[in-house]
Each structure stands twice: as structure tokens, then as C-alpha cells.
Amino acid sequence: MRSPVPDQLPADLFGRRERDRTVRVLDAVASARLRWTALINRRDPRPKTDDRRLALVVTERRIEAHDQDVVSLRLAAPDGRALPPWRPGAHLDLELPSGRLRQYSLCGDPADVRAYRVAVRRIPEGGGGSVEVHDCLPVGSAIVVRGPRNAFPFAVPGHGSPAARLHFVAGGIGVTPILPMVRLAHRLGIEWSMVYTGRSRDTLPFLDELSGFGDRVVVRTDDEHGLPDAGALLPGVGPDTAVYCCGPVPMITVVADAVREIPQVELHFERFSPPPIVNGKPFEIEFASTGEVVEVAADRTALDAILASRPDRPYSCRQGFCRTCKVRVLAGEPDHRDSVLTDAEHEAGAMLVCVSRADGGRLVLDL
């Protein structure tokens, strides 16, 4: 049973309810003439939470879409104790039985202090993590998680965002970080709307939960309406609106291009797939331990090339913020494209191979 729902903002990871650094940054943005922001995979500004490991147990499994490809897990402490608090947009790192580390958005209610909920779509042709969640984590399974931490912070109007209303856009499993945002906006009486898209209704998880919000939520599927354009994704969006978007890259691109043309609109988004490679050039990677050299094509990542030769190398987010794939550069000049390592770490040779690369030439890595 869920805990009572408070009529206030949830506490942050340290129990505070005052505005945090993200909020202060957004306040500064509010004073600017153009208030368009794109917050892509930014780490939560509060330190010391990334390495927190919690031993939890799967207490409930549910199929959340009619195609049976989305399963949700309820995770709780074995002794039922309260778990660290979180805010909408946060995620957990799951240490799967195989040793894989995968990140999944928290899609439950922050007011439920006894459990976390994540939902995972089975992707047979993916990296194996989603299949493992579906097939290897029955009720009663023990699992270690890291976090929670927030790469998709939610700034509520009147509490850090200058926007007067909110509009949410979710594509398929991208609904998971959006769900807690919608609940909080509704609980606080903020004006909001949502467009939820996918291939068909059978593929969309959590339709029953979203139906409780009535006509605030518009469900638009490709099989009934065709691929949505900007007008379908952003109906009624004008100045003083904050748009939160999560889903496939093409959908995010359509939304971002449209929002740039609307004055005084904030855009916040998170991808569930690697970002496209922009202006990539081919280069080489040398493994220092063996002298083996692999080629990285202009349209492929360094991680792709490494995995082709060393498939056991750890990785997770593939978006440049979780640090799992960090390696040390021993020679060569990397083109850093991550959003998390500090200048000092870059200068010390750290590189995230899921997004960073080289502008031609060769990198010698400590591999």
C-alpha cells in the first residue's frame, strides 16, 4: 500500500525542500531574453549519490502493455525500510545477475517511500539487459541498485521554472520518466497537457494509469494517425510553456526543431537511445596491453569498435553520463563529447568511449 501523498514538492535526495542548484540555474535562465533550454543527460548537481549501492528484492512484477513486451518491477528493501528519496526524472542503475549495468527511469511515485518501480521494454536485438530483466528477475530475486540519481531534472513552475504551464511528450517506453512528472504537476494543480505516441495502443505501457487524467492526455498511434508532426506533438504550445520530452531520437528532433521557433519556451528532454554522431571522422584505437589496433568508422562510436574486439567490456548509458565505460587515454588527442567528466579528469586522460572519439589519427587506450 502506498504512503499518503503530500501536497507539496517531494524532498530532494538529502531531505531538503528548498530550491537546489538546478533550480537556481533555471531562475537565471528566466531572466534571459530567450528562455530555450535543452537539458540533455545532465547529472544531478548534488554529489555523493552515484556510488550508493542498495540491496533490494523484487516484490512485484506486472505486464504493462498488451503486447507483453513491457514489464514493471517493484523493488523494496528486504526488511521493508524506507528507501532514499527521489524526484521525478530520476533513474536507478541495476546490477543485473550477468554483471551488466543498466539504467532505468523510476516510474513510480516519490511518495511511496518503501519501494521503487522501474519498467523495461524487451528489446531482443539490444545489448541483452532488457531480455535479462524479463527472463531472470522473478519475484523474490535479490538485486543491487545504485542511486537514485537524476539526469533529467524536473523544474516545477513557481518552484524554479518561469513557465506558466507544462506540456509533456512521451514516445513508447519514454513515458517512464514522464509519469512521475505528470503526477506531481496534477497534484500541485499546475496547468499541463500531454501527447503520448507509439506504434499502436498494444505497445503503449501504463495506458490505464494515464486514462485517469482524462482529456489532458492525448494518445496518438502510428497505425491510427500516421507519424506525428510537430503540430500533433505540440498542440497549443506557446510562450511561457515548459516542454518535457522523452522517447526516440526522431521524435525528439521534431520537437526540438519546432520549439526553437517558439519564443519563451523551455525544452527539457532525455533520450532512451544513443545520440546521433555529428561530424564524426574515422580514427584508430590501439589497445596498450596487446598492441591490437581497431578502426572506428565515422558513423560508429569508439565503444562499438571496442566491443567488437572485447565484448566483455562494461558499458551502460551509451550517452556520456554514467561513467561505466571510462578508460584512460595514454596517447593521442581525444575529442571529448561527454557531459559529466570535469576538465581536470579530461586533462588526466579520462575518456568516455560511448560518445567521445578522436578527430582522426590514433588513440592509445589503457585496455
Side-chain angles (χ1 to χ4, degrees):
M1 182 174 179
R2 298 193 177 219
S3 302
V5 176
D7 292 323
Q8 59 185 4
L9 287 173
D12 67 15
L13 295 177
F14 299 99
R16 299 185 299 249
R17 287 187 167 82
E18 69 269 18
R19 297 183 304 167
D20 59 23
R21 204 162 85 195
T22 301
V23 167
R24 293 198 297 272
V25 169
L26 286 170
D27 275 346
V29 172
S31 64
R33 188 173 182 179
L34 178 64
R35 297 200 310 258
W36 183 84
T37 62
L39 304 181
I40 314 170
N41 297 326
R42 292 191 182 171
R43 290 164 55 85
D44 191 291
R46 293 171 291 269
K48 306 299 184 184
T49 62
D50 291 1
D51 297 326
R52 175 171 48 200
R53 299 172 79 245
L54 301 171
L56 304 180
V57 63
V58 179
T59 61
E60 181 181 320
R61 283 175 57 101
R62 290 187 57 185
I63 300 299
E64 301 292 357
H66 289 297
D67 66 1
Q68 299 191 1
D69 280 349
V70 178
V71 64
S72 68
L73 305 180
R74 187 176 186 272
L75 309 175
D79 60 1
R81 70 184 182 278
L83 301 177
W86 57 282
R87 284 185 170 183
H91 65 266
L92 292 177
D93 297 350
L94 271 61
E95 298 182 7
L96 300 177
S98 66
R100 294 183 178 98
L101 182 68
R102 294 294 184 267
Q103 297 173 328
Y104 300 109
S105 296
L106 285 162
C107 59
D109 191 334
D112 181 2
V113 299
R114 302 292 175 182
Y116 297 140
R117 185 177 71 167
V118 298
V120 181
R121 176 173 292 282
R122 179 191 287 270
I123 305 176
E125 69 279 9
S130 67
V131 173
E132 189 172 357
V133 170
H134 277 251
D135 295 347
C136 303
L137 291 177
V139 171
S141 298
I143 186 167
V144 173
V145 306
R146 304 179 191 178
R149 54 195 177 100
N150 206 325
F152 189 25
F154 181 46
V156 177
H159 298 271
S161 170
R165 66 182 300 272
L166 298 169
H167 180 69
F168 302 98
V169 183
I173 196 63
V175 74
T176 50
I178 298 295
L179 268 176
M181 298 181 185
V182 166
R183 289 194 197 96
L184 181 57
H186 196 73
R187 183 177 300 153
L188 296 176
I190 297 166
E191 183 183 353
W192 66 274
S193 57
M194 177 178 173
V195 172
Y196 187 17
T197 71
R199 297 189 307 275
S200 68
R201 283 183 172 266
D202 284 348
T203 68
L204 295 180
F206 302 113
L207 280 178
D208 289 345
E209 291 187 26
L210 288 168
S211 66
F213 296 113
D215 59 7
R216 286 178 180 266
V217 178
V218 174
V219 178
R220 185 183 179 93
T221 58
D222 300 346
D223 61 346
E224 294 180 10
H225 308 95
L227 293 175
D229 58 14
L233 296 173
L234 300 169
V237 170
D240 298 319
T241 302
V243 176
Y244 285 81
C245 180
C246 185
V249 171
M251 184 191 76
I252 294 173
T253 300
V254 169
V255 170
D257 288 345
V259 165
R260 288 189 181 96
E261 303 302 319
I262 307 174
Q264 296 183 313
V265 173
E266 297 176 16
L267 173 62
H268 309 254
F269 61 88
E270 183 176 54
R271 298 184 181 99
F272 272 4
S273 59
I277 297 172
V278 178
N279 298 324
K281 293 183 179 180
F283 65 101
E284 296 178 338
I285 290 174
E286 179 180 336
F287 300 145
S289 62
T290 64
E292 179 185 359
V293 176
V294 297
E295 296 183 356
V296 183
D299 61 347
R300 304 294 287 174
T301 68
L303 177 63
D304 291 333
I306 292 170
L307 290 175
S309 180
R310 300 191 177 185
D312 59 341
R313 286 296 305 175
Y315 69 93
S316 183
C317 75
R318 303 192 76 133
Q319 299 184 52
F321 67 88
C322 79
R323 296 173 175 255
T324 303
C325 68
K326 183 173 71 172
V327 299
R328 188 159 60 99
V329 179
L330 302 180
E333 293 295 329
D335 174 15
H336 293 293
R337 301 188 179 192
D338 66 272
S339 59
V340 60
L341 297 180
T342 65
D343 290 342
E345 287 175 304
H346 287 157
E347 292 171 4
M351 173 183 175
L352 300 188
V353 293
C354 66
V355 291
S356 297
R357 48 193 307 111
D359 193 15
R362 178 181 294 186
L363 297 179
V364 180
L365 302 183
D366 188 16
L367 292 172

